[in-house]
Amino acid sequence: MSAEPSQNKKDLIHARTKTSFNIDDMTDYIYSGRANVEHRRYIIDLIAREPIFQKDDWSWLNHTDAVKRGVAMSARLAEIKLEHELNDLDFATVIEAVDDSLPLLLHHGAFIPVLNAQGSDEQVEKWVPLAENYQIIGCYAQTELGHGSNLSGLETTATFIRETDEWEINSTTFTAAKWWIGGLGVICTHAVVQAKLIIDGKDYGAHVFIVPIRSLEDHKPFPGVEVGDIGPKAYGGFGKMDNGFARFTKHRIPREYMLMRFSKVSRDGVFTKPPHAKLSYGSMVLLRSVLVRQMGGFLSRATTIATRYLTVRRQFHNPTQRNDSDLNPGLETQVINYPMVQNRLFPMIAQAYALNAAGSVMMGMYINLMAGLSQGNVDALAEVHAMSSALKSYCTTIGAAGIEECRKLLGGHGYSYFSGLPHTFASIVPSNTYEGDNYVLTQQLARYLLKEFTTARTAPEKVTPFSKYVLLTLDRDQFSKATCSVVKPEDWLNPDIQLAALEHRCARLAMELDDAVEAGKGGSTTDKTWSDHNMECYRVSHAHAQYVLVLWFLQSIRGAQNAESDDERRAKPETVKVLQQLSNLHALHIMQTNLADFAEDAYFSPTQCHSLRAQVKALVASLADNAVGLTDAFDHPDFLLDSALGASDGDAYKRLWDKAQLEPLNKQVVFDGYEEYIRPLLKKHGDVKL
């Protein structure tokens, strides 16, 4: 006879019965079709059934043991990729399933892409097959001890030695040491190194070189290469990743080891500059584009855990507008029924859906960009680079903040490693500083918009699609009088009104930045006053990112309801209805949390601000019955979530108890430090009889 299910399980089962849409249909929308859903499940299962990828002891590994485990996992990962002939998209899902950063990650995420993007055809033919078969293992070495975001400040040099047709790689100062390089600590044999190219004493700026690090025979570092691991990271994050350092002293490599798809250096030392100064930005765009959808994945996992746990957690007998007292008289209120909890959680579910949609668009832009660059077409480069920079900054910011907010929503138990969120937070939070510091990076989009203002004045038809809002400012008198057209509360649900408001905000912030830069010139160069405008750059960059997220989410939903879409991509009406609620909440929540930007120029009236808040509250309440279904639709298996509190069966307390029993301290009846520390303390002043 089976045991009666716990109240936790009953609560989650009951919550699922309230879902108004078909969860499989929503999952198909998220992953663009059933075939992709099934393939993702197949890839994750490849990892889940492998003993080396089990997570039970992760929290008790020290740094040395964690890196060793990471290398072992990397070796098995390479075998799986070759055995199953996985492509790059498959491997991205494999990395998601592994759920930790491994020493091999940058081999696939940076080393091979840089070889493909910046190597000549001959270099690609030579090096890429070796890398794909793991005959060499590589990393990408840009950041130094003394410089990160400032590429022009890098101090590593590659000096051309004409007599031997070689480059001499040198760490010219103590702070020139490469630092933080994933894969460099123990596993890599080669690195693509950013170094200043020097010919006859002339500095031609940073270029990329293939630099052998360790022998392919015994893995010992080459003479002139000092290499090692930088040690443990904050919050225990990236524990299995061998982030490393390297110092170079007169380390010689052949001239042909400079990647020469764009810039070139001949045998006699003649430098040929690339046709476009920023052609090498392609690899940076890739990494930043990947982060957009990756943040959606992380946030979807965190909201899944939070939604399930808050559904089964009960606290206090406080009545709410939404409760189950008729079904469960005498029980405390489910935490997810408290409006404060809903207003914190549900906008993050909407964000996760928006990030997923935006990630697909951003990757499409990157693929189109690279196709154009391969043909020498650089038209899209500036916009895609600026867009990826803005989105990387904003999306990683809200991703990390969202996961921490989910942890706090779980209350005290959220601080347990077994909630699944501390590991996720530790994995995501460094994204705020790697691949460009999130504050510094916003200058890229701001500079791009300033150029768009110049274009708008001289050739308005050439303004690029996602910054056409700058055209609104050409008639300043009319622009200054513009106001939001909302009359009735339901007007806020009109996508055209939402986009108009976000475009107006972007246009005004960009115009004010343009005015400030122009006013600040005052006879000196713009660069000398640029730093004074950094906060304005941050505001306009994040405003732009929010605008395109709303736009792309809307476009994704329109595509899903398009009658001409194929069956795999077309969503059912009830699915579309809930997606529209999410899109509305996402857009209006952005406006609500940034009301000052809309009110300070009176674009929103006080009455509109009040009705906006009311509409956000109504949207949040309308999603309550679908919260569990919306997060179930992300289709994250328990293996991936690795959460006692957010497991699919809802048995949170039992699972948390069982996890705690695995603690090594609990294998002893009496703590083994008792005789050495505890007994002397207790007996210091004599025995006590109680």
Side-chain angles (χ1 to χ4, degrees):
M1 185 176 178
S2 60
E4 175 77 6
S6 66
Q7 186 63 45
N8 290 162
K9 286 185 174 183
K10 290 179 181 178
D11 286 340
L12 195 56
I13 290 170
H14 181 65
R16 289 187 171 117
T17 67
K18 298 181 179 181
T19 305
S20 68
F21 58 90
N22 183 285
I23 292 176
D24 286 343
D25 191 54
M26 186 68 79
T27 303
D28 291 349
Y29 160 78
I30 293 171
Y31 298 105
S32 301
R34 179 54 36 174
N36 291 334
V37 172
E38 296 297 342
H39 191 61
R40 176 177 180 267
R41 290 174 178 174
Y42 163 74
I43 295 295
I44 293 176
D45 186 61
L46 283 180
I47 299 303
R49 64 181 184 231
E50 292 276 341
I52 190 67
F53 299 117
Q54 301 310 305
K55 309 175 185 181
D56 289 344
D57 65 345
W58 281 13
S59 58
W60 296 299
L61 296 175
N62 62 36
H63 177 65
T64 300
D65 289 340
V67 170
K68 188 173 182 180
R69 176 73 61 83
V71 172
M73 292 166 70
S74 294
R76 182 59 188 137
L77 212 58
E79 292 172 353
I80 290 173
K81 186 176 190 302
L82 295 175
E83 288 170 7
H84 296 274
E85 299 181 345
L86 303 181
N87 60 32
D88 290 342
L89 289 176
D90 293 337
F91 197 74
T93 305
V94 166
I95 295 301
E96 176 193 9
V98 169
D99 193 29
D100 212 351
S101 294
L102 301 183
L104 202 62
L105 181 62
L106 274 297
H107 176 76
H108 289 278
F111 183 69
I112 294 177
V114 170
L115 292 178
N116 277 316
Q118 299 193 44
S120 66
D121 291 344
E122 295 78 13
Q123 289 173 321
V124 169
E125 185 179 356
K126 173 182 177 178
W127 292 101
V128 171
L130 296 174
E132 289 180 338
N133 288 318
Y134 306 103
Q135 293 170 276
I136 61 172
I137 298 174
C139 61
Y140 177 71
Q142 175 174 310
T143 301
E144 296 178 354
L145 194 57
H147 289 89
S149 298
N150 183 13
L151 186 61
S152 63
L154 297 181
E155 298 174 283
T156 302
T157 59
T159 303
F160 183 57
I161 309 300
R162 198 181 305 272
E163 294 75 15
T164 58
D165 195 27
E166 292 177 306
W167 299 103
E168 185 174 273
I169 310 298
N170 274 295
S171 301
T172 56
T173 67
F174 178 74
T175 54
K178 295 298 180 182
W179 199 265
W180 277 113
I181 313 304
L184 185 59
V186 301
I187 199 172
C188 82
T189 62
H190 291 69
V192 283
V193 174
Q194 285 273 10
K196 287 185 175 180
L197 190 157
I198 310 294
I199 302 175
D200 297 331
K202 183 176 180 179
D203 181 354
Y204 288 89
H207 288 73
V208 183
F209 302 81
I210 302 171
V211 179
I213 302 295
R214 295 179 174 94
S215 166
L216 293 175
E217 297 301 320
D218 58 14
H219 210 59
K220 290 181 179 178
F222 288 107
V225 179
E226 181 184 358
V227 63
D229 187 276
I230 67 170
K233 278 76 71 174
Y235 314 118
F238 279 54
K240 299 173 191 65
M241 174 67 83
D242 58 331
N243 295 92
F245 63 81
R247 289 175 54 83
F248 302 106
T249 305
K250 296 183 178 180
H251 183 42
R252 297 284 186 94
I253 62 173
R255 176 177 55 85
E256 294 83 2
Y257 282 22
M258 171 189 167
L259 293 182
M260 297 195 200
R261 178 173 294 277
F262 304 122
S263 301
K264 297 176 174 63
V265 174
S266 66
R267 172 66 185 87
D268 54 357
V270 175
F271 175 79
T272 303
K273 66 180 183 180
H276 190 287
K278 296 180 179 178
L279 278 172
S280 62
Y281 280 21
S283 56
M284 286 191 290
V285 170
L286 169 61
L287 294 169
R288 291 168 184 168
S289 298
V290 166
L291 281 170
V292 177
R293 186 155 191 170
Q294 192 178 69
M295 292 305 110
F298 278 121
L299 191 56
S300 70
R301 286 159 57 179
T303 53
T304 298
I305 292 169
T307 300
R308 290 174 179 173
Y309 178 63
L310 294 170
T311 298
V312 305
R313 177 77 167 175
R314 291 175 176 271
Q315 291 289 288
F316 307 110
H317 289 279
N318 298 333
T320 67
Q321 290 294 322
R322 181 179 181 272
N323 60 52
D324 65 344
S325 57
D326 54 333
L327 292 174
N328 295 291
L331 293 183
E332 295 174 276
T333 300
Q334 290 170 282
V335 174
I336 201 166
N337 286 339
Y338 289 107
M340 176 63 79
V341 170
Q342 295 176 357
N343 278 270
R344 292 163 66 192
L345 175 61
F346 295 175
M348 291 190 291
I349 297 176
Q351 281 181 338
Y353 274 81
L355 287 169
N356 179 73
S360 296
V361 177
M362 195 66 245
M363 280 306 300
M365 292 178 71
Y366 165 76
I367 291 168
N368 292 334
L369 168 67
M370 296 310 292
L373 292 180
S374 68
Q375 303 298 317
N377 184 345
V378 298
D379 292 348
L381 180 57
E383 181 179 38
V384 177
H385 176 251
M387 188 76 80
S388 66
S389 298
L391 285 170
K392 184 272 174 185
S393 173
Y394 176 68
C395 295
T396 57
T397 296
I398 65 172
I403 290 168
E404 172 62 4
E405 185 65 16
C406 284
R407 183 196 66 78
K408 290 186 285 189
L409 277 164
L410 301 189
H413 290 331
Y415 194 61
S416 168
Y417 180 88
F418 303 129
S419 73
L421 293 182
H423 171 75
T424 304
F425 179 75
S427 297
I428 195 177
V429 74
S431 67
N432 281 229
T433 46
Y434 65 59
E435 296 307 322
D437 173 86
N438 277 2
Y439 290 89
V440 176
L441 200 57
T442 57
Q443 297 175 58
Q444 301 293 336
L445 189 280
R447 289 184 187 275
Y448 175 75
L449 288 177
L450 293 180
K451 293 177 182 177
E452 289 290 271
F453 265 96
T454 300
T455 302
R457 297 185 190 106
T458 57
E461 72 282 357
K462 293 183 179 179
V463 173
T464 50
F466 299 114
S467 50
K468 284 191 177 297
Y469 54 73
V470 301
L471 299 175
L472 297 172
T473 66
L474 292 179
D475 186 338
R476 293 208 168 198
D477 183 59
Q478 182 177 349
F479 181 73
S480 66
K481 296 176 182 176
T483 57
C484 179
S485 61
V486 165
V487 177
K488 306 182 296 296
E490 56 266 29
D491 290 343
W492 288 112
L493 306 182
N494 184 334
D496 292 335
I497 288 177
Q498 296 168 8
L499 291 173
L502 294 168
E503 288 170 350
H504 178 89
R505 174 198 183 203
C506 288
R508 183 177 66 82
L509 294 176
M511 180 182 70
E512 291 177 356
L513 173 63
D514 185 61
D515 289 346
V517 169
E518 289 299 315
K521 288 181 178 179
S524 63
T525 65
T526 302
D527 284 342
K528 289 185 178 178
T529 62
W530 180 249
S531 294
D532 295 331
H533 308 301
N534 285 171
M535 285 308 300
E536 288 76 11
C537 292
Y538 181 86
R539 288 179 68 197
V540 71
S541 179
H542 277 214
H544 182 89
Q546 290 170 335
Y547 161 63
V548 296
L549 276 178
V550 171
L551 175 65
W552 290 347
F553 193 10
L554 283 167
Q555 290 175 345
S556 173
I557 296 170
R558 287 168 185 162
Q561 65 184 132
N562 186 347
E564 297 179 1
S565 297
D566 59 71
D567 290 339
E568 283 284 289
R569 295 175 182 273
R570 190 186 309 117
K572 296 176 181 178
E574 57 270 25
T575 300
V576 171
K577 179 182 177 180
V578 179
L579 285 170
Q580 289 170 334
Q581 290 174 316
L582 284 173
S583 176
N584 286 328
L585 177 57
H586 176 242
L588 299 188
H589 185 261
I590 286 173
M591 296 179 200
Q592 178 178 273
T593 53
N594 295 277
L595 266 181
D597 284 348
F598 298 94
E600 65 186 5
D601 69 340
Y603 185 78
F604 285 178
S605 69
T607 300
Q608 288 172 333
C609 292
H610 180 77
S611 69
L612 171 65
R613 292 186 186 279
Q615 191 58 255
V616 169
K617 288 183 69 174
L619 283 167
V620 167
S622 73
L623 287 167
D625 283 347
N626 283 316
V628 170
L630 284 167
T631 51
D632 278 354
F634 291 130
D635 201 44
H636 296 314
D638 288 343
F639 169 80
L640 182 59
L641 295 178
D642 192 34
S643 172
L645 303 183
S648 57
D649 65 359
D651 209 9
Y653 299 144
K654 175 66 165 57
R655 286 178 174 272
L656 187 59
W657 174 273
D658 290 345
K659 283 285 189 179
Q661 308 317 304
L662 299 175
E663 163 61 54
L665 288 172
N666 297 329
K667 304 304 179 186
Q668 314 155 27
V669 176
V670 177
F671 175 58
D672 65 8
Y674 169 74
E675 292 293 343
E676 186 175 1
Y677 303 112
I678 300 175
R679 180 180 173 81
L681 178 63
L682 292 172
K683 302 299 183 182
K684 184 174 182 178
H685 297 291
D687 290 337
V688 175
K689 301 238 183 242
L690 294 175

